Amino acid sequence: MIHVGINGYGTIGKRVADAVRKQPDMEVVGVAKTRPNFEASSAVEKGFDLYAAVEERKPRFAEAGIDLAGDVEELVEQSDIVVDACPSGIGADNAEMYEEYDTPALLQGGEDAEVVDGSFNARSNFDTVEGMDLVRVVSCNTTGLSRLVAPLQEEYGIEKVRATLVRRGGDPAQSGRGPINDILPNPVELPSHHGPDVNTIFPDLEIDTLGLKVPATLMHTHSINVTLQSNPDAEAVRELLDDERRTFVIPEWLGLDGAGAIKELAQDAGRPRADIWENCIWGESITVEGDDLYLFQAIHQESDVVPENVDAIRAVLGTKSQSESIATTDEAMGLDD
Ligand code: NAD
């Protein structure tokens, strides 16, 4: 059994905790929180041991009637590996603590690549992180782009990727984020950070990315152009992407015209939190003009990195091969359903 600690129990941390708990070879030691809010309460209801991330705030848990199992340092000490899902920048601050207890840790996409020993995407570079102390599971957008690049590069070769990322303004619970009535080039200058971030997974890939932010919370949408080194027909590309485990090529007849309908499908399917762990690629958007491939894909920012975190645990500890890990993760989470 791999004993996993989760430090930071917000949007990503709570999903990773649930996914880890479902794995046949993993156990959640506990989760660390800074304050007693609704997420702390639901962690307790789910039976996760709660650890205090900030010493001075411990009395607030007692006031809220929430029992603590200990301090975050104890969680780190008892864990074989920690998934750090704290807000951007805090993971880097926590690195010293993980080093002190000699516990490897996974940081998330909001952290700088320079802080870690390696960046991770299960489909693209699973075998590169074994034995590392600090590994970053790349962001939702970089995960979505990497899952697309890997099969295309292997099958056809890639000359260049150009991607425009239409990004949600905030997650559904982030009421302070925006814009609420605008369309913002973000960042205005090129490239957006996503291209260089994809290069942490594919160092030699030619990629330009542009970002926009829009008043939406449900998903990101990518408009993709990949210049290939060969010119397959669109149907072959469609089949290639359809055969991938974590890409869902949306058939036209499903009538999914946007993120709202995709989320509705996830709810109807009984997915936890209506999560969509796969890239959702509109089948009829897959078009090849000469050696240029075009498509649209939607990325659920809150959940596509969750199976990646689970795989990163095995990849760092070297307990399963890439294909065994991905299959185990997907089966346990119900990703194939
Ligand atoms: P979040 O704000 O929803 O959750 C972070 C949690 O960590 C909160 O519960 C917060 O109270 C807690 N926290 C703050 N300081 C802490 C500390 N010192 N110790 C322990 N816990 C602490 O954030 P999130 O959206 O889950 O993002 C976490 C990381 O995942 C970031 O690096 C982010 O960039 C990355 N990420 C986020 C998304 C997304 O869309 N939400 C997608 C992919 C990656």
Side-chain angles (χ1 to χ4, degrees):
M1 274 290 167
I2 305 171
H3 300 100
V4 183
I6 315 280
N7 188 17
Y9 191 78
T11 307
I12 301 298
K14 65 186 177 187
R15 287 172 165 83
V16 172
D18 286 350
V20 165
R21 182 180 248 181
K22 288 188 170 150
Q23 303 304 311
D25 54 345
M26 297 184 192
E27 209 170 87
V28 177
V29 181
V31 306
K33 277 221 48 89
T34 49
R35 63 197 159 107
N37 66 354
F38 71 97
E39 280 160 337
S41 154
S42 87
V44 172
E45 265 170 41
K46 283 169 181 267
F48 291 125
D49 281 348
L50 209 59
Y51 290 78
V54 183
E55 171 81 39
E56 309 84 72
R57 297 205 198 149
K58 276 164 84 171
R60 288 172 58 180
F61 286 90
E63 282 162 24
I66 292 180
D67 289 336
L68 291 170
D71 295 323
V72 64
E73 288 81 3
E74 293 169 72
L75 174 67
V76 174
E77 193 172 17
Q78 291 170 53
S79 301
D80 299 319
I81 187 164
V82 170
V83 178
D84 183 304
C86 292
S88 305
I90 295 185
D93 295 343
N94 288 335
E96 213 176 302
M97 170 172 65
Y98 303 134
E99 196 182 343
E100 193 184 326
Y101 290 94
D102 207 13
T103 306
L106 305 179
L107 306 189
Q108 304 303 312
E111 306 296 330
D112 286 341
E114 294 74 46
V115 172
V116 294
D117 302 320
S119 294
F120 179 84
N121 171 254
R123 173 64 177 81
S124 314
N125 70 349
F126 187 97
D127 293 327
T128 61
V129 299
E130 185 171 348
M132 286 182 179
D133 295 323
L134 213 53
V135 168
R136 186 178 69 115
V137 175
V138 290
S139 74
C140 48
N141 282 311
T142 304
T143 295
L145 290 169
S146 298
R147 287 177 180 167
L148 198 59
V149 164
L152 293 174
Q153 193 173 59
E154 285 162 18
E155 192 69 18
Y156 307 119
I158 290 179
E159 207 62 44
K160 181 159 187 154
V161 177
R162 297 171 184 86
T164 301
L165 285 68
V166 181
R167 297 150 65 206
R168 57 86 177 104
D171 293 340
Q174 290 177 315
S175 49
R177 297 267 295 247
I180 57 170
N181 182 27
D182 214 335
I183 300 166
L184 307 177
N186 183 274
V188 178
E189 68 278 6
L190 271 66
S192 70
H193 71 272
H194 307 94
D197 205 40
V198 172
N199 285 136
T200 66
I201 303 291
F202 299 94
D204 301 325
L205 183 74
E206 286 266 339
I207 178 166
D208 287 340
T209 52
L210 295 83
L212 293 151
K213 258 197 202 183
V214 296
T217 62
L218 299 178
M219 297 176 86
H220 301 299
T221 303
H222 296 173
S223 168
I224 306 277
N225 164 220
V226 183
T227 306
L228 300 167
Q229 286 172 346
S230 51
N231 49 355
D233 62 38
E235 193 47 41
V237 177
R238 192 181 168 130
E239 277 169 26
L240 175 78
L241 297 176
D242 212 17
D243 284 347
E244 289 287 307
R245 295 196 73 116
R246 293 180 184 166
T247 57
F248 167 43
V249 177
I250 303 172
E252 198 172 351
W253 63 268
L254 283 182
L256 299 176
D257 62 351
I262 295 172
K263 288 288 286 177
E264 194 72 11
L265 170 67
Q267 293 198 44
D268 290 350
R271 285 280 183 96
R273 302 184 175 91
D275 281 348
I276 304 137
W277 301 297
E278 309 89 336
N279 293 21
C280 297
I281 302 169
W282 276 276
E284 69 266 39
S285 75
I286 298 173
T287 304
V288 182
E289 299 281 350
D291 49 11
D292 274 319
L293 164 69
Y294 298 91
L295 59 84
F296 288 119
Q297 66 174 358
I299 300 294
H300 186 219
Q301 73 279 356
E302 297 170 287
S303 71
D304 74 331
V305 299
V306 174
E308 305 294 327
N309 272 274
V310 175
D311 289 326
I313 290 170
R314 299 193 190 95
V316 167
L317 299 178
T319 59
K320 277 195 199 296
S321 70
Q322 178 186 38
S323 59
E324 283 171 344
S325 176
I326 291 175
T328 305
T329 304
D330 290 359
E331 198 180 316
M333 289 179 67
L335 198 140
D336 295 327
D337 302 346

